[in-house]
Amino acid sequence: MQREVGTLPLAPALRARLVAAGFQTAQELLETGPCGLSKEIGISKEEALEVLQLVRQECQGDATRSAGGSGATRKCTALELLEEEQTQGFIITFCSALDNILGGGVQLTKITEICGAPGVGKTQLCMQLAVDVQIPECFGGVAGEAVFIDTEGSFMVDRVVDIATACVQHCQLIAEAHQEADHLKALESFSLESILSHIYYFRCRDYTELLAQVYLLPDFLAEHSKVRLVVIDGIAFPFRHDFEDLSLRTRLLNGLAQQLIITANDHRAAVVLTNQMTTRIGQNQSTLVPALGESWGHAATVRLIFHWDESQRLATLYKSPSQKESTIPYCITPHGFRDVQPPAVTQEAEGTEMNPRKRPRREEEK
Amino acid sequence: MATKKLRRARLSHDLCERLSRHQITTCQDFLCLSLLELMKVTGQSYYDVQKLLCKVSQACAPKMQTAYEMKLRKSVNPSSAFLSTTLHSLDKVLHGGVPCGSLTEITSPPGCGKTQFCIMMSVLATLPVSMGGLDGAVIYIDTESAFSAERLIEIAGSRFPTYFDSDEKLFCMTRSIHLYRELTCGSVLKRIMSLEEEIISKNVKLIIIDSVASVVRKEFDTKLQGNLAERSNFLARGASVLKYLAEEFSIPV
């Protein structure tokens, strides 16, 4: 009630007039009434009524917030949060080593960033996650849908088909081994068609389309309430070229990060972003660091860096609030993102042929 | 999409007038501003500005498609997904050939045969679909002046002697390969930007750029400060336009 007029979300011109007329708190506005208000400021009666309704709404919102009700800001104890976190699901990646270092898999309500050089497997992991989020709960998944926002055009439907087929086969094997009724029932709805039709794909060509899409994301998620994963493949690509004004870029990126955090929290979804690497030229050497600058580093809660070591792909957990920093090897097979199997000749042969997305890395190239 | 004028985003006329006074005419300008700035510029309340933002976003956001729809669309024309290179082991590794709708990069030390490969791909693209080609024209952007028309005819004649049995067929093929000699980065970029109309008018089915690295290394000396940024800017811009062309027309680049 004692809220200052200048803080109300009114149009700036109106606000200026109210302040000039001498109104200081919201209480005064409400006491004057619409007719008095319209005469004093020189606006129509309808406009005055609108202003008062808005003020009343704001004050009511304030009252419920200060009383500790379920307003826009949530207040809860750490115990409630602990219980929530323990029952929260993870999105598994099918690579058990990676799931282990992440503490179970990709966490919901958090932003995970995957950085890496080109060709190392970021888009592969994203496609794997888009399939894995749909695994039914009885198999250990979160039974959600996925939104895939692509800025680089590297989404290949055929590859997703391969990954999904392998995932369905995996679940079928588990169902056969356990022979439980709800497993079989879940399998009926977990088919290739259903997996593909629950991946919502958006192709953004530049940063404006990306911004627009992120603004519209809350409405989309409200309609499709089962979405548990939002993947933005290539958040760096539209921002790295054609940007003369770096401060604008930082501002837009921060705004984007805020929006994504709000979306992740409100809808209990995991947000996965992929970033490129850039070279930082130091005094005597140059190192590869994630692109988009230092301030972007604060946007993601969990950061994974993928890199090569000779011909082995490695994933390093670079930033995490709850897990230790560690590195694990992984590989990409025709079935998707997997653990490295203990050295076997047949595995090598299977991995290097037939897979159009994996580039075999030869010694001479390094 | 980004440069869509606000007028066409179905905003009211006076609002567009007001915004244009502040030099905000396209969706891009609108979305780049923060909420407070938008309130100041449009003179509307917080909630109204949020609604406006939604409206403008809807005007330039991409359309949604599910992966299933994409798969169905692809399965409708399966043959046009790849351009076979006629080298069996290469085709096997590439899962069918050079993919249509995405960029393929060929790198190697000098003298390995990149330009020869490009010339061969141009011949293959002009062949009719029944012979594994794309039955269309080719745009060849040459920055090293390494393209030789005689070599083109030699390859065509010896690879497909039964098809190119008459001079008429040879001329037809050479007429559909459009060669552009560009020697600077700027002209390459300008050429790439202008390709959209040419692709439609000439029924182009393959774009070859030979080579990107030579012209970039010639012009940008990375030891000089500032050049690195400019070079990556140029490359990124060219790449995004080429990606757009590849996807839009489903042709290999």
Side-chain angles (χ1 to χ4, degrees), chain A residues 292-311:
Chain A
L292 295 181
E294 289 292 326
S295 48
W296 177 251
H298 300 292
T301 321
V302 176
R303 215 174 211 191
L304 276 171
I305 299 193
F306 287 1
H307 52 109
W308 295 93
D309 177 25
E310 295 303 306
S311 53

PDB file of all heavy atoms in Angstrom, chain A residues 292-311:
ATOM      1  N   LEU A 292      32.136 -17.174 -26.349  1.00  0.00           N
ATOM      2  CA  LEU A 292      31.166 -16.209 -25.821  1.00  0.00           C
ATOM      3  C   LEU A 292      31.619 -15.494 -24.562  1.00  0.00           C
ATOM      4  O   LEU A 292      30.863 -14.759 -23.949  1.00  0.00           O
ATOM      5  CB  LEU A 292      29.797 -16.852 -25.525  1.00  0.00           C
ATOM      6  CG  LEU A 292      29.057 -17.374 -26.719  1.00  0.00           C
ATOM      7  CD1 LEU A 292      27.732 -17.943 -26.286  1.00  0.00           C
ATOM      8  CD2 LEU A 292      28.814 -16.260 -27.718  1.00  0.00           C
ATOM      9  N   GLY A 293      32.848 -15.675 -24.154  1.00  0.00           N
ATOM     10  CA  GLY A 293      33.359 -14.794 -23.111  1.00  0.00           C
ATOM     11  C   GLY A 293      33.136 -15.258 -21.687  1.00  0.00           C
ATOM     12  O   GLY A 293      32.454 -16.227 -21.414  1.00  0.00           O
ATOM     13  N   GLU A 294      33.749 -14.487 -20.777  1.00  0.00           N
ATOM     14  CA  GLU A 294      33.736 -14.868 -19.368  1.00  0.00           C
ATOM     15  C   GLU A 294      32.348 -14.731 -18.774  1.00  0.00           C
ATOM     16  O   GLU A 294      31.925 -15.555 -17.978  1.00  0.00           O
ATOM     17  CB  GLU A 294      34.695 -13.958 -18.591  1.00  0.00           C
ATOM     18  CG  GLU A 294      36.148 -14.204 -18.880  1.00  0.00           C
ATOM     19  CD  GLU A 294      36.632 -15.534 -18.362  1.00  0.00           C
ATOM     20  OE1 GLU A 294      36.143 -15.983 -17.310  1.00  0.00           O
ATOM     21  OE2 GLU A 294      37.481 -16.137 -19.020  1.00  0.00           O
ATOM     22  N   SER A 295      31.635 -13.654 -19.141  1.00  0.00           N
ATOM     23  CA  SER A 295      30.340 -13.428 -18.498  1.00  0.00           C
ATOM     24  C   SER A 295      29.349 -14.529 -18.836  1.00  0.00           C
ATOM     25  O   SER A 295      28.476 -14.835 -18.032  1.00  0.00           O
ATOM     26  CB  SER A 295      29.780 -12.072 -18.897  1.00  0.00           C
ATOM     27  OG  SER A 295      29.878 -11.919 -20.294  1.00  0.00           O
ATOM     28  N   TRP A 296      29.491 -15.130 -19.974  1.00  0.00           N
ATOM     29  CA  TRP A 296      28.589 -16.227 -20.323  1.00  0.00           C
ATOM     30  C   TRP A 296      28.865 -17.437 -19.450  1.00  0.00           C
ATOM     31  O   TRP A 296      28.001 -18.275 -19.236  1.00  0.00           O
ATOM     32  CB  TRP A 296      28.748 -16.590 -21.800  1.00  0.00           C
ATOM     33  CG  TRP A 296      27.932 -17.737 -22.206  1.00  0.00           C
ATOM     34  CD1 TRP A 296      28.356 -18.976 -22.525  1.00  0.00           C
ATOM     35  CD2 TRP A 296      26.506 -17.793 -22.299  1.00  0.00           C
ATOM     36  NE1 TRP A 296      27.310 -19.800 -22.837  1.00  0.00           N
ATOM     37  CE2 TRP A 296      26.168 -19.089 -22.703  1.00  0.00           C
ATOM     38  CE3 TRP A 296      25.486 -16.864 -22.090  1.00  0.00           C
ATOM     39  CZ2 TRP A 296      24.852 -19.484 -22.907  1.00  0.00           C
ATOM     40  CZ3 TRP A 296      24.176 -17.266 -22.298  1.00  0.00           C
ATOM     41  CH2 TRP A 296      23.881 -18.557 -22.688  1.00  0.00           C
ATOM     42  N   GLY A 297      30.080 -17.561 -18.956  1.00  0.00           N
ATOM     43  CA  GLY A 297      30.431 -18.705 -18.129  1.00  0.00           C
ATOM     44  C   GLY A 297      29.558 -18.819 -16.892  1.00  0.00           C
ATOM     45  O   GLY A 297      29.392 -19.896 -16.336  1.00  0.00           O
ATOM     46  N   HIS A 298      28.983 -17.675 -16.461  1.00  0.00           N
ATOM     47  CA  HIS A 298      28.147 -17.712 -15.268  1.00  0.00           C
ATOM     48  C   HIS A 298      26.741 -18.199 -15.555  1.00  0.00           C
ATOM     49  O   HIS A 298      25.988 -18.471 -14.636  1.00  0.00           O
ATOM     50  CB  HIS A 298      28.055 -16.303 -14.662  1.00  0.00           C
ATOM     51  CG  HIS A 298      29.390 -15.771 -14.264  1.00  0.00           C
ATOM     52  ND1 HIS A 298      30.112 -16.298 -13.230  1.00  0.00           N
ATOM     53  CD2 HIS A 298      30.144 -14.781 -14.796  1.00  0.00           C
ATOM     54  CE1 HIS A 298      31.244 -15.649 -13.118  1.00  0.00           C
ATOM     55  NE2 HIS A 298      31.306 -14.739 -14.041  1.00  0.00           N
ATOM     56  N   ALA A 299      26.391 -18.282 -16.825  1.00  0.00           N
ATOM     57  CA  ALA A 299      24.998 -18.603 -17.148  1.00  0.00           C
ATOM     58  C   ALA A 299      24.675 -20.062 -16.870  1.00  0.00           C
ATOM     59  O   ALA A 299      23.595 -20.389 -16.392  1.00  0.00           O
ATOM     60  CB  ALA A 299      24.722 -18.285 -18.606  1.00  0.00           C
ATOM     61  N   ALA A 300      25.615 -20.932 -17.164  1.00  0.00           N
ATOM     62  CA  ALA A 300      25.328 -22.355 -17.029  1.00  0.00           C
ATOM     63  C   ALA A 300      25.677 -22.833 -15.631  1.00  0.00           C
ATOM     64  O   ALA A 300      26.645 -22.405 -15.043  1.00  0.00           O
ATOM     65  CB  ALA A 300      26.133 -23.133 -18.055  1.00  0.00           C
ATOM     66  N   THR A 301      24.847 -23.762 -15.138  1.00  0.00           N
ATOM     67  CA  THR A 301      25.134 -24.311 -13.817  1.00  0.00           C
ATOM     68  C   THR A 301      26.194 -25.396 -13.914  1.00  0.00           C
ATOM     69  O   THR A 301      27.064 -25.516 -13.073  1.00  0.00           O
ATOM     70  CB  THR A 301      23.870 -24.954 -13.234  1.00  0.00           C
ATOM     71  OG1 THR A 301      22.760 -24.149 -13.579  1.00  0.00           O
ATOM     72  CG2 THR A 301      23.968 -25.074 -11.746  1.00  0.00           C
ATOM     73  N   VAL A 302      26.053 -26.225 -14.947  1.00  0.00           N
ATOM     74  CA  VAL A 302      26.975 -27.338 -15.108  1.00  0.00           C
ATOM     75  C   VAL A 302      27.654 -27.182 -16.455  1.00  0.00           C
ATOM     76  O   VAL A 302      27.004 -26.917 -17.456  1.00  0.00           O
ATOM     77  CB  VAL A 302      26.202 -28.679 -15.077  1.00  0.00           C
ATOM     78  CG1 VAL A 302      27.130 -29.828 -15.330  1.00  0.00           C
ATOM     79  CG2 VAL A 302      25.493 -28.835 -13.758  1.00  0.00           C
ATOM     80  N   ARG A 303      28.957 -27.327 -16.471  1.00  0.00           N
ATOM     81  CA  ARG A 303      29.677 -27.166 -17.725  1.00  0.00           C
ATOM     82  C   ARG A 303      30.497 -28.417 -18.021  1.00  0.00           C
ATOM     83  O   ARG A 303      31.293 -28.870 -17.206  1.00  0.00           O
ATOM     84  CB  ARG A 303      30.622 -25.989 -17.586  1.00  0.00           C
ATOM     85  CG  ARG A 303      30.747 -25.252 -18.881  1.00  0.00           C
ATOM     86  CD  ARG A 303      31.536 -24.048 -18.719  1.00  0.00           C
ATOM     87  NE  ARG A 303      31.071 -23.052 -19.643  1.00  0.00           N
ATOM     88  CZ  ARG A 303      31.705 -21.928 -19.897  1.00  0.00           C
ATOM     89  NH1 ARG A 303      32.805 -21.674 -19.249  1.00  0.00           N
ATOM     90  NH2 ARG A 303      31.224 -21.083 -20.767  1.00  0.00           N
ATOM     91  N   LEU A 304      30.305 -28.944 -19.234  1.00  0.00           N
ATOM     92  CA  LEU A 304      31.053 -30.115 -19.678  1.00  0.00           C
ATOM     93  C   LEU A 304      31.912 -29.698 -20.846  1.00  0.00           C
ATOM     94  O   LEU A 304      31.438 -29.020 -21.748  1.00  0.00           O
ATOM     95  CB  LEU A 304      30.090 -31.191 -20.193  1.00  0.00           C
ATOM     96  CG  LEU A 304      29.442 -32.124 -19.206  1.00  0.00           C
ATOM     97  CD1 LEU A 304      28.382 -32.920 -19.921  1.00  0.00           C
ATOM     98  CD2 LEU A 304      30.472 -33.057 -18.627  1.00  0.00           C
ATOM     99  N   ILE A 305      33.163 -30.121 -20.840  1.00  0.00           N
ATOM    100  CA  ILE A 305      34.011 -29.790 -21.985  1.00  0.00           C
ATOM    101  C   ILE A 305      34.420 -31.092 -22.644  1.00  0.00           C
ATOM    102  O   ILE A 305      34.969 -31.985 -21.997  1.00  0.00           O
ATOM    103  CB  ILE A 305      35.239 -28.979 -21.537  1.00  0.00           C
ATOM    104  CG1 ILE A 305      34.762 -27.682 -20.909  1.00  0.00           C
ATOM    105  CG2 ILE A 305      36.121 -28.680 -22.727  1.00  0.00           C
ATOM    106  CD1 ILE A 305      35.836 -26.669 -20.706  1.00  0.00           C
ATOM    107  N   PHE A 306      34.155 -31.191 -23.931  1.00  0.00           N
ATOM    108  CA  PHE A 306      34.539 -32.375 -24.689  1.00  0.00           C
ATOM    109  C   PHE A 306      35.807 -32.060 -25.464  1.00  0.00           C
ATOM    110  O   PHE A 306      35.907 -31.014 -26.084  1.00  0.00           O
ATOM    111  CB  PHE A 306      33.437 -32.737 -25.710  1.00  0.00           C
ATOM    112  CG  PHE A 306      32.215 -33.327 -25.102  1.00  0.00           C
ATOM    113  CD1 PHE A 306      32.085 -33.502 -23.747  1.00  0.00           C
ATOM    114  CD2 PHE A 306      31.165 -33.715 -25.912  1.00  0.00           C
ATOM    115  CE1 PHE A 306      30.942 -34.044 -23.201  1.00  0.00           C
ATOM    116  CE2 PHE A 306      30.017 -34.274 -25.374  1.00  0.00           C
ATOM    117  CZ  PHE A 306      29.902 -34.434 -24.023  1.00  0.00           C
ATOM    118  N   HIS A 307      36.766 -32.970 -25.426  1.00  0.00           N
ATOM    119  CA  HIS A 307      37.976 -32.730 -26.193  1.00  0.00           C
ATOM    120  C   HIS A 307      38.607 -34.050 -26.611  1.00  0.00           C
ATOM    121  O   HIS A 307      38.178 -35.121 -26.208  1.00  0.00           O
ATOM    122  CB  HIS A 307      38.961 -31.895 -25.369  1.00  0.00           C
ATOM    123  CG  HIS A 307      39.228 -32.467 -24.007  1.00  0.00           C
ATOM    124  ND1 HIS A 307      40.421 -33.038 -23.647  1.00  0.00           N
ATOM    125  CD2 HIS A 307      38.460 -32.556 -22.913  1.00  0.00           C
ATOM    126  CE1 HIS A 307      40.346 -33.445 -22.390  1.00  0.00           C
ATOM    127  NE2 HIS A 307      39.173 -33.164 -21.918  1.00  0.00           N
ATOM    128  N   TRP A 308      39.611 -33.937 -27.453  1.00  0.00           N
ATOM    129  CA  TRP A 308      40.306 -35.109 -27.964  1.00  0.00           C
ATOM    130  C   TRP A 308      41.605 -35.312 -27.207  1.00  0.00           C
ATOM    131  O   TRP A 308      42.242 -34.363 -26.791  1.00  0.00           O
ATOM    132  CB  TRP A 308      40.679 -34.894 -29.427  1.00  0.00           C
ATOM    133  CG  TRP A 308      39.567 -34.766 -30.354  1.00  0.00           C
ATOM    134  CD1 TRP A 308      38.982 -33.617 -30.763  1.00  0.00           C
ATOM    135  CD2 TRP A 308      38.886 -35.811 -31.023  1.00  0.00           C
ATOM    136  NE1 TRP A 308      37.989 -33.878 -31.643  1.00  0.00           N
ATOM    137  CE2 TRP A 308      37.906 -35.215 -31.832  1.00  0.00           C
ATOM    138  CE3 TRP A 308      39.013 -37.191 -31.033  1.00  0.00           C
ATOM    139  CZ2 TRP A 308      37.051 -35.966 -32.626  1.00  0.00           C
ATOM    140  CZ3 TRP A 308      38.169 -37.928 -31.830  1.00  0.00           C
ATOM    141  CH2 TRP A 308      37.197 -37.324 -32.614  1.00  0.00           C
ATOM    142  N   ASP A 309      42.002 -36.570 -27.114  1.00  0.00           N
ATOM    143  CA  ASP A 309      43.343 -36.857 -26.620  1.00  0.00           C
ATOM    144  C   ASP A 309      43.860 -37.958 -27.520  1.00  0.00           C
ATOM    145  O   ASP A 309      43.470 -39.113 -27.375  1.00  0.00           O
ATOM    146  CB  ASP A 309      43.274 -37.319 -25.155  1.00  0.00           C
ATOM    147  CG  ASP A 309      44.641 -37.703 -24.635  1.00  0.00           C
ATOM    148  OD1 ASP A 309      45.636 -37.186 -25.196  1.00  0.00           O
ATOM    149  OD2 ASP A 309      44.716 -38.492 -23.693  1.00  0.00           O
ATOM    150  N   GLU A 310      44.729 -37.638 -28.446  1.00  0.00           N
ATOM    151  CA  GLU A 310      45.091 -38.549 -29.531  1.00  0.00           C
ATOM    152  C   GLU A 310      43.808 -38.924 -30.262  1.00  0.00           C
ATOM    153  O   GLU A 310      43.166 -38.081 -30.816  1.00  0.00           O
ATOM    154  CB  GLU A 310      45.798 -39.807 -28.979  1.00  0.00           C
ATOM    155  CG  GLU A 310      47.128 -39.503 -28.322  1.00  0.00           C
ATOM    156  CD  GLU A 310      48.085 -38.795 -29.249  1.00  0.00           C
ATOM    157  OE1 GLU A 310      48.349 -39.301 -30.356  1.00  0.00           O
ATOM    158  OE2 GLU A 310      48.562 -37.699 -28.893  1.00  0.00           O
ATOM    159  N   SER A 311      43.400 -40.177 -30.237  1.00  0.00           N
ATOM    160  CA  SER A 311      42.173 -40.494 -30.959  1.00  0.00           C
ATOM    161  C   SER A 311      41.043 -40.854 -30.017  1.00  0.00           C
ATOM    162  O   SER A 311      40.028 -41.393 -30.423  1.00  0.00           O
ATOM    163  CB  SER A 311      42.425 -41.651 -31.920  1.00  0.00           C
ATOM    164  OG  SER A 311      42.981 -42.707 -31.195  1.00  0.00           O
TER     165      SER A 311
END
